Amino acid sequence: MTNGWAMAAKIISVANMKGGVGKTTISVALAQALAAGPSKAKVLVLDLDAQANASFWLSGQAALTAQIEQSKAIDTFLEDAIIFEKPTKLSDFVRPAKAHSERLFVAPSSPNLRIVERELIVFLSRRHRNLLEVERVVSTLLDEQLESLRSDFDVIIFDTAPGISALTEAALRLSHVVVVPTVPDYVSNLGLLSFCRTVSWSSNDIANAVKRTPWVVANKVKSSRHHELMLQQMRAEASSHDHEFNMLRTEIPSSPQIDEIASGLDMDGELAFDTEGAGVFSRLAAEVLDLATRVATAPSRAA
Ligand SMILES: Nc1ncnc2c1ncn2[C@@H]1O[C@H](COP(=O)(O)OP(=O)(O)OP(=O)(O)O)[C@@H](O)[C@H]1O
Ligand SMILES: [Mg+2]
């Protein structure tokens, strides 16, 4: 490694079963802050969402369209590896991002991923595999394939789809840190505890699973009474004895600049999170990296 990093990549998943809470915005901004910021990390974003938003932002429309047409998106990787049992390498699906292309990379998704995920489940269930086994097949495959990528990258970030799928489950199992973006309002918090419980016990080895408490990050925070009260409640829950989640110190404000960048008014231009969102995403990146490093170097990390 050229930049003072050592050992295997830190693996981070950004997940929440609720849609629209900022998973993709945070995955991309975090990746960018790590690659372009002081840590100068070499970062790979693995897009596990058929909406392919992270791929779109990181690659730009033209490059993403070309990659999908050349069957170089992650749906093809999964189909080839699991259904056609072809020798396939995930590393062949990795491309430089359109900005910071020396240190920022993406394994893109495509809308076809939705169909392939269904196909996988049908294919494996015809072979009498139940849902748990489907999850195990997918996460074992990703784990094996990450083997070569772990030494090539400093940080690997999974952007996941809303809901809970076999792919999300696989990403959770492989991660050192699971970041759960949450808007501090009543509706967004309804499913938070149950989602965090599923994260806590996600493991390939159920019998010996170690609790993997996820890290909630408050996103789209407004200075309203409602948000303040919800944040107080969330922080109280996080510091209780039997807490289901921890909370990151960094709070991401509801910001028109962040929304404008993330809504992609200039999709083929430079990514601009590092300038517009500078302070907040750099702080988030430093906090998450520190946690991931601690988990990765702890003597008995969650399996
Ligand atoms: N801090 C923020 N301030 C203002 N707008 C934001 C912020 N974070 C995200 N957004 C906006 O919220 C919308 C949803 O964000 P994003 O796509 O990142 O969510 P998501 O959780 O990935 O959604 P999905 O569940 O569909 O994958 C986008 O339009 C984005 O611009
Ligand atoms: Mg998303």
Side-chain angles (χ1 to χ4, degrees):
M1 214 111 316
T2 54
N3 52 5
W5 284 74
M7 301 183 306
K10 315 291 178 286
I11 304 182
I12 297 160
S13 280
V14 184
N16 190 337
M17 67 182 175
K18 179 139 179 56
V21 291
K23 295 180 289 297
T24 303
T25 304
I26 287 169
S27 301
V28 172
L30 203 54
Q32 193 177 33
L34 288 165
S39 55
K40 295 269 178 279
K42 190 174 170 196
V43 185
L44 169 64
V45 176
L46 267 155
D47 190 350
L48 295 185
D49 184 359
Q51 297 179 95
N53 291 342
S55 310
F56 191 60
W57 292 348
L58 289 164
S59 296
Q61 187 175 356
L64 178 61
T65 307
Q67 203 161 345
I68 292 173
E69 278 169 3
Q70 291 156 14
S71 301
K72 285 294 181 192
I74 231 158
D75 56 307
T76 308
F77 162 74
L78 289 169
E79 200 173 30
D80 283 354
I82 298 177
I83 297 180
F84 301 128
E85 294 179 352
K86 285 192 207 164
T88 312
K89 290 203 307 226
L90 183 55
S91 51
D92 290 341
F93 293 73
V94 172
R95 291 288 178 277
K98 67 183 180 187
H100 313 295
S101 57
E102 275 163 30
R103 286 195 303 277
L104 187 52
F105 294 79
V106 55
S109 174
S110 106
N112 196 44
L113 181 61
R114 210 182 301 279
I115 297 164
V116 169
E117 260 198 285
R118 253 188 79 81
E119 253 176 42
L120 290 182
I121 292 168
V122 172
F123 174 83
L124 292 168
S125 56
R126 287 215 178 106
R127 278 154 187 75
H128 309 292
R129 306 290 197 98
N130 64 31
L131 182 62
L132 278 179
E133 287 164 327
V134 173
E135 287 169 353
R136 185 190 292 268
V137 168
V138 177
S139 67
T140 304
L141 171 70
L142 277 185
D143 196 14
E144 285 165 8
Q145 294 286 326
L146 282 182
E147 213 39 61
S148 68
L149 295 171
R150 278 183 229 267
S151 53
D152 275 351
F153 291 92
D154 303 311
V155 180
I156 297 175
I157 298 175
F158 286 103
D159 182 27
T160 65
I164 302 176
S165 69
L167 280 175
T168 302
E169 183 60 36
L172 298 177
R173 290 177 191 189
L174 297 172
S175 296
H176 296 113
V177 173
V178 178
V179 174
V180 183
T182 307
V183 183
D185 63 31
Y186 180 74
V187 175
S188 303
N189 271 275
L190 276 179
L192 185 65
L193 277 181
S194 64
F195 178 72
C196 287
R197 257 176 231 131
T198 68
V199 175
S200 294
W201 298 109
S202 58
S203 170
N204 263 359
D205 181 1
I206 304 280
N208 299 306
V210 180
K211 192 171 181 190
R212 178 202 317 262
T213 310
W215 289 82
V216 166
V217 59
N219 186 27
K220 304 193 193 184
V221 178
K222 295 181 187 153
S223 50
S224 68
R225 185 85 191 112
H226 181 55
H227 275 204
E228 270 166 28
L229 279 174
M230 284 308 302
L231 272 170
Q232 266 175 26
Q233 276 182 30
M234 288 159 73
R235 294 209 180 275
E237 159 65 29
S239 53
S240 70
H241 169 65
D242 52 352
H243 61 282
E244 295 290 348
F245 57 82
N246 299 306
M247 278 203 77
L248 289 162
R249 281 189 308 277
T250 312
E251 289 177 4
I252 305 168
S254 173
S255 135
Q257 286 103 317
I258 294 173
D259 191 32
E260 194 169 311
I261 298 162
S263 304
L265 296 180
D266 184 20
M267 281 298 181
D268 284 322
E270 287 286 292
L271 286 166
F273 281 118
D274 49 349
T275 50
E276 299 292 345
V280 76
F281 290 119
S282 307
R283 285 202 304 282
L284 183 68
E287 214 186 332
V288 172
L289 187 59
D290 180 51
L291 287 170
T293 306
R294 273 194 269 154
V295 176
T297 52
S300 62
R301 89 164 182 82

